[in-house]
Amino acid sequence: MAHIHNFSAGPSILPKSVFEEASRAVVDFNGSGLSILEMSHRSKDFVAVMDEARSLVKEILGLGDDYDVLFLQGGASTGFLISAYNMLRENNRGGYINTGSWANKAVKEGKWVGDALEVASSKEANYNFIPKGYESPTDVDYLHYTSNNTIFGTQYHHIPDVTVPLVCDMSSDIFSRPIDASKFDLIYAGAQKNMGPAGTTVYIFKKEILGKSSADIPTMLNLKTHADKDSMFNTPPVFPVYVSMLVLRWIKSLGLEEVGRRNEAKANLLYGEVERNGMFKATAALEDRSWMNGTFVLADGIDEGLNQTFLDMAAEANISGIKGHRSVGGFRASMYNALPIESVGALVDVMKAFEEKYG
Ligand SMILES: *Cc1c(COP(=O)(O)O)cnc(C)c1O
């Protein structure tokens, strides 16, 4: 099998050791003689997986018994709706920071449930920065933001300072570095960017938010339904939860500090080359550049026809997944937790070779 440098934006690279262990569990889980895919989710073996996954999330984030963790289905796209339903209170309104496509979708779903007020936006600059200096809203039930903008390559390097409950879509940077998770009332994240395979979404929330919504919540969208049943109200996505648990063990063994150091080093290596290399320019504002998704385009004056040439050169070097999202163009190097720095080095080598040939 060729060694591929996998810069996919999601579903994304996971540790190879996890793939190996997961593949064994598909054939025979824990020596039970059964595949993990064919056993009851109520079996002792699987209940232990769910319990460990939930407690690893709290342990890694340093959260106590006042928080609960669920592994549900529906993707972060259902999280837009679940967060609004569960956080709505007497103001009948959520506040949203609009930092790109995913944030927009969160606003749209928020409007199914109540009012959704756009508190700040970077839309006029094609979302190339994180809004700051806006007035912190008070007449909303919660403030929702997207910590990392997977498509536009911007990331919050701070936690918004607000007095209302804080809700965050952390799909593409959860567990990528230490954070003060106790500042949040509700965090949700689709697993497939940084935590596991597609098919499960993690919800991390203060227990005290349950049962307080002013909305009439459909059963499956009510976090209390799932919390009351230890994330087993209905059949959970057993395999994605299992693989996520393996990834969480790997993250725990490294420690979030080390994971963060590695991610910062990768980002510095990539952006350093983007800055140095006259063929390219970054699309995101310097202070808001994402450690997870590095977006860059050809520099002004460089023949647009060379876009494909660069992609071809990258493919030649076994670099996969760097074509930019259509709303930004150019290139996007997603550097999630499991991507080794050597892969970023391989990309930088191609950028240098490209400059030498066409610069
Ligand atoms: C990918 C992504 C989503 C959508 O996740 P799904 O699991 O596909 O619904 C939402 N928010 C962010 C920030 C994402 O990166």
Side-chain angles (χ1 to χ4, degrees):
M1 208 165 92
H3 178 73
I4 303 292
H5 301 289
N6 183 7
F7 289 88
S8 170
S12 72
I13 186 168
L14 295 174
K16 200 158 188 296
S17 59
V18 166
F19 290 140
E20 278 157 5
E21 190 159 358
S23 70
R24 286 194 292 275
V26 169
V27 179
D28 179 4
F29 183 50
N30 278 355
S32 63
L34 292 175
S35 164
I36 189 164
L37 302 178
E38 63 178 348
M39 61 171 56
S40 168
H41 58 289
R42 311 260 176 223
S43 64
K44 196 163 70 33
D45 281 316
F46 185 74
V47 170
V49 168
M50 180 62 96
D51 289 349
E52 184 175 344
R54 293 169 75 207
S55 63
L56 277 170
V57 169
K58 286 214 272 187
E59 192 182 335
I60 291 168
L61 294 177
L63 293 170
D65 279 344
D66 47 337
Y67 276 80
D68 204 352
V69 176
L70 302 172
F71 283 88
L72 306 180
Q73 303 192 44
S77 299
T78 304
F80 303 148
L81 200 50
I82 288 180
S83 53
Y85 264 124
N86 286 270
M87 295 306 297
L88 208 68
R89 303 287 185 266
E90 62 277 7
N91 289 303
N92 195 43
R93 174 159 58 175
Y96 289 79
I97 311 290
N98 180 5
T99 51
S101 313
W102 298 118
N104 261 300
K105 290 184 178 173
V107 170
K108 185 163 171 238
E109 297 308 301
K111 286 180 179 164
W112 272 103
V113 179
D115 249 1
L117 174 75
E118 194 178 274
V119 173
S121 169
S122 51
K123 185 171 184 199
E124 81 279 3
N126 200 31
Y127 302 113
N128 71 2
F129 70 98
I130 298 292
K132 298 167 205 85
Y134 51 85
E135 199 160 325
S136 174
T138 51
D139 56 348
V140 295
D141 296 319
Y142 59 89
L143 183 82
H144 178 287
Y145 77 105
T146 315
S147 53
N148 180 70
N149 300 288
T150 325
I151 292 176
F152 294 94
T154 60
Q155 184 177 23
Y156 275 81
H157 296 295
H158 67 284
I159 294 176
D161 190 15
V162 286
T163 52
V164 297
L166 199 53
V167 177
C168 189
D169 172 4
M170 275 190 204
S171 292
S172 53
D173 68 352
I174 193 161
F175 304 123
S176 65
R177 59 183 172 189
I179 61 156
D180 184 356
S182 70
K183 292 229 155 110
F184 297 86
D185 279 56
L186 169 61
I187 294 168
Y188 62 97
Q192 71 272 21
K193 309 282 172 32
N194 225 1
M195 188 183 69
T200 190
T201 309
V202 69
Y203 291 81
I204 304 160
F205 52 89
K206 279 189 185 146
K207 287 178 181 166
E208 65 179 36
I209 69 164
L210 298 180
K212 300 223 173 103
S213 178
S214 57
D216 188 13
I217 316 178
T219 306
M220 281 294 286
L221 303 183
N222 195 338
L223 291 173
K224 191 166 187 312
T225 304
H226 301 283
D228 285 349
K229 299 290 180 187
D230 288 327
S231 210
M232 294 257 202
F233 171 73
N234 67 325
T235 316
V238 290
F239 196 57
V241 172
Y242 173 67
V243 179
S244 298
M245 182 209 73
L246 296 178
V247 176
L248 289 163
R249 280 184 185 166
W250 175 78
I251 291 169
K252 185 188 156 187
S253 74
L254 289 172
L256 264 196
E257 299 274 349
E258 175 61 16
V259 170
R261 264 194 296 277
R262 291 182 183 190
N263 287 331
E264 185 172 23
K266 287 183 279 177
N268 285 341
L269 180 59
L270 176 75
Y271 291 122
E273 177 61 15
V274 171
E275 290 299 317
R276 187 209 61 76
N277 190 318
M279 304 295 284
F280 301 103
K281 68 171 187 192
T283 62
L286 183 62
E287 62 176 5
D288 301 326
R289 285 180 193 163
S290 169
W291 291 7
M292 298 280 98
N293 313 96
T295 51
F296 54 104
V297 295
L298 292 178
D300 301 331
I302 306 290
D303 175 11
E304 283 292 314
L306 288 175
N307 267 303
Q308 190 54 47
T309 310
F310 180 68
L311 290 173
D312 292 343
M313 283 178 72
E316 192 68 22
N318 288 331
I319 287 168
S320 167
I322 61 155
K323 191 174 193 317
H325 190 273
R326 63 191 175 280
S327 48
V328 182
F331 317 103
R332 171 174 53 172
S334 297
M335 302 173 283
Y336 296 115
N337 286 348
L339 185 87
I341 195 163
E342 289 73 24
S343 289
V344 182
L347 175 59
V348 164
D349 286 345
V350 174
M351 293 166 78
K352 288 180 172 153
F354 179 69
E355 178 192 34
E356 236 158 70
K357 197 150 177 209
Y358 300 101

